[in-house]
Amino acid sequence: MASVNWVKMKTVQQVKAVLRHDCKDTSEAAQTHTNGDLDKTLTGQNYGFNDSYTEARDMFQKRLETVTAGKTIRKDAVVGVGFSIPAPNGLPA
């Protein structure tokens, strides 16, 4: 059975924090994981659309500027949405 986990992000800081966490150049640099269930041998199989935090952050900022076109962002606006699609065990590569 397939599932998708998603979350609304209401601040620019929240989006940038997620990008920083997910991008390889920053997440691998940290090398400290507090999740005891994490299998570090599988970390190399993770992938995303941007491996560079700087590139991902700049793309997000450019898109946000395009969408808002100089307008003030509402206090309750959703500025980002995060999706994760967990793959079941045994899924062929």
Side-chain angles (χ1 to χ4, degrees):
M1 183 168 167
S3 67
V4 176
N5 302 317
W6 66 281
V7 62
K8 294 179 188 179
M9 292 174 261
K10 299 225 175 193
T11 67
V12 170
Q13 293 81 8
Q14 211 176 1
V15 173
K16 289 181 180 180
V18 169
L19 291 174
R20 194 176 307 108
H21 174 80
D22 290 344
C23 290
K24 281 189 177 183
D25 63 340
T26 51
S27 64
E28 289 177 359
Q31 293 298 319
T32 56
H33 302 285
T34 56
N35 183 347
D37 296 325
L38 184 68
D39 185 350
K40 293 180 183 181
T41 63
L42 300 175
T43 300
Q45 296 179 21
N46 293 344
Y47 66 93
F49 294 108
N50 296 95
D51 287 339
S52 163
Y53 168 69
T54 304
E55 181 181 334
R57 182 200 61 212
D58 292 346
M59 287 176 64
F60 166 72
Q61 196 65 44
K62 183 178 178 182
R63 178 64 181 151
L64 185 62
E65 289 169 6
T66 301
V67 171
T68 59
K71 299 174 192 168
T72 303
I73 300 172
R74 287 175 44 145
K75 188 174 161 181
D76 63 344
V78 174
V79 296
V81 180
F83 293 92
S84 65
I85 306 169
N89 289 335
L91 185 69

